[in-house]
Amino acid sequence: MTTPSHFSETGIAIYANEPLLFAATMKFQQSLSQMVNGYSHIIAANGGYKSASISMTMQQEEIEGWIENGLGRNITVYNEGQQPIWNGFVNDIEVSMADLTITLNCLGYIEWLKAYTYNSTTAATTTINAAINAVLVADPNNIISSDYTKLTANTFSIPSYTNDDNLALDYINGLVAMGDAAFNRYLFGVYANQRAEYTVMPTVNEYIAQVSGLNVKRGPLLGIANKVAIVYSTVDTSVTPPAVGVRKKTAYAIDIASQNKYGIIEKILSSGGSTDANATNIRDTYIGDAHEPETTQTITINAGEITTPQGRVIEPWNVLPAKWAFIPNFMIGRIPDTTAMRDDMRYLFIESLTFTAPYGLILTGAKISKLPQILGQLGLLGVGI
């Protein structure tokens, strides 16, 4: 990979247009690329385009024009192939008149889903993707695109219910957290041209990451997931998954901060005893899916070269989250090659990334579990795991 020495050498182009809210009455377009001193963006698996920062040097007259009319302007960033790699709006502006510099702090259009409430008043059962579609259609500002072709069908049915003044994004996050009937994880975000995307988490690896720096954190051991996990009194560990014997609760909470959350889950676990379907799902996910105490595994890497498994170089500004990346120079010889990706510490599911021009790239990911979707279907969104 050729390392750019200056922003212009990346081939990235940045354009500013009139705010979407005033597109019919206010026309504006400006290419910012030649004035840029620094650029960075953050993209997340849940949320899509999150934020961006653009610092520039301008003449005083131009700066004053941005101070007066710049808030809300639509920002689109293109790669060297003229494909959008970030899109959002100017949320605030910082100016230093002494050295004629201006910084545009931008947010992705997912933030507009916090700008209106959504009230569901029907008792009809519907699918998750249809429910998400209904929230987007209700956007009173028409900011989110009406192109819903990226909303993947999810036939898992949920009963609609009357809710009072939930923010649209909170309602969507609750729907997304449920996953599907098999407790597979789904992702939601707003990307280029304000188009919403809803899709199931991928199951194949798409990136090879040669890293220049690596930070790993596992734990805590006594997290919520282990407190809801049920260890059995007779478990045959010679088979995979371990054979389930007599169910015996050994989960416990020792810190006051977690006891309230754990108390909610404990009631669900004990409500139907060993035959309760919800309790069984949580227990068997721990035994059959994790095969070990469930802990958070967070990996942050300073990426060197990113390639496809076939060896094609991916420039850092074109890397996307919600994809698996394999780290070949980590845990060498410690993990069998037959280990499933979700259990293999050498694989990183990219939860978020930060790109800083011209070549800085930080990837952050975590261990993947079905437990969050199980808790989501139990109505326990927000209970930490």
Side-chain angles (χ1 to χ4, degrees), residues 21-354:
L21 278 177
F22 309 116
T25 58
M26 181 188 298
K27 298 301 180 183
F28 177 85
Q29 184 178 50
Q30 184 178 15
S31 172
L32 306 179
S33 306
Q34 298 303 314
M35 297 175 281
V36 173
N37 296 324
Y39 170 80
S40 65
H41 67 225
I42 297 174
I43 313 177
N46 282 322
Y49 296 156
K50 296 289 287 185
S51 62
S53 178
I54 309 165
S55 60
M56 298 173 289
T57 301
M58 287 183 176
Q59 297 298 318
Q60 181 172 335
E61 183 178 356
E62 287 183 297
I63 289 178
E64 291 172 350
W66 272 91
I67 294 174
E68 184 178 12
N69 299 308
L71 289 179
R73 281 176 176 168
N74 181 58
I75 301 294
T76 307
V77 185
Y78 298 90
N79 66 10
E80 67 279 17
Q82 298 303 304
Q83 297 298 312
I85 57 174
W86 198 87
N87 176 223
F89 62 95
V90 179
N91 186 59
D92 67 72
I93 301 171
E94 300 177 41
V95 169
S96 172
M97 298 301 292
D99 51 10
L100 297 179
T101 59
I102 180 172
T103 299
L104 309 179
N105 296 310
C106 309
L107 295 176
Y109 282 105
I110 187 134
E111 293 294 321
W112 280 92
L113 293 174
K114 300 177 182 178
Y116 70 98
T117 57
Y118 177 77
N119 295 310
S120 174
T121 58
T122 176
T125 297
T126 186
T127 62
I128 288 184
N129 60 289
I132 292 174
N133 192 107
V135 180
L136 299 176
V137 169
D139 175 12
N141 300 304
N142 295 316
I143 294 296
I144 305 301
S145 170
S146 59
D147 178 359
Y148 305 127
T149 57
K150 291 292 186 178
L151 300 182
T152 302
N154 180 354
T155 57
F156 183 67
S157 295
I158 57 168
S160 294
Y161 54 88
T162 301
N163 61 295
D164 185 23
D165 293 333
N166 281 339
L167 291 179
L169 184 58
D170 290 342
Y171 188 71
I172 289 176
N173 284 339
L175 295 170
V176 174
M178 294 183 185
D180 59 19
F183 306 114
N184 293 307
R185 180 179 171 185
Y186 276 67
L187 308 165
F188 177 84
V190 178
Y191 291 87
N193 302 312
Q194 305 87 52
R195 185 171 64 181
E197 298 187 15
Y198 172 68
T199 184
V200 67
M201 190 186 79
T203 58
V204 297
N205 180 50
E206 296 191 45
Y207 294 144
I208 306 294
Q210 301 288 347
V211 303
S212 57
L214 175 69
N215 295 305
V216 180
K217 177 184 178 181
R218 293 201 71 187
L221 178 62
L222 289 180
I224 286 292
N226 285 342
K227 294 168 186 175
V228 303
I230 301 302
V231 179
Y232 297 87
S233 60
T234 57
V235 177
D236 182 0
T237 57
S238 66
V239 296
T240 301
V244 175
V246 179
R247 299 180 186 276
K248 179 181 178 182
K249 296 180 183 179
T250 59
Y252 58 93
I254 62 171
D255 58 290
I256 294 176
S258 295
Q259 283 177 354
N260 290 336
K261 295 178 181 178
Y262 178 69
I264 297 171
I265 300 172
E266 177 67 13
K267 288 181 180 179
I268 293 174
L269 289 174
S270 60
S271 62
S274 61
T275 61
D276 181 70
N278 291 328
T280 301
N281 283 331
I282 293 177
R283 295 163 180 168
D284 291 349
T285 295
Y286 174 74
I287 294 295
D289 187 42
H291 300 181
E292 64 179 39
E294 186 68 37
T295 59
T296 299
Q297 173 183 306
T298 302
I299 299 179
T300 301
I301 68 175
N302 294 314
E305 183 174 80
I306 304 291
T307 68
T308 65
Q310 296 75 33
R312 181 173 62 88
V313 173
I314 307 294
E315 299 290 0
W317 50 87
N318 290 325
V319 175
L320 290 170
K323 297 181 184 294
W324 290 94
F326 178 66
I327 309 169
N329 52 344
F330 176 56
M331 303 293 285
I332 297 173
R334 292 182 174 272
I335 301 175
D337 290 337
T338 56
T339 304
M341 282 198 308
R342 63 187 299 141
D343 298 323
D344 190 335
M345 291 182 67
R346 298 171 300 174
Y347 284 93
L348 169 74
F349 182 72
I350 304 174
E351 295 285 357
S352 66
L353 65 85
T354 300

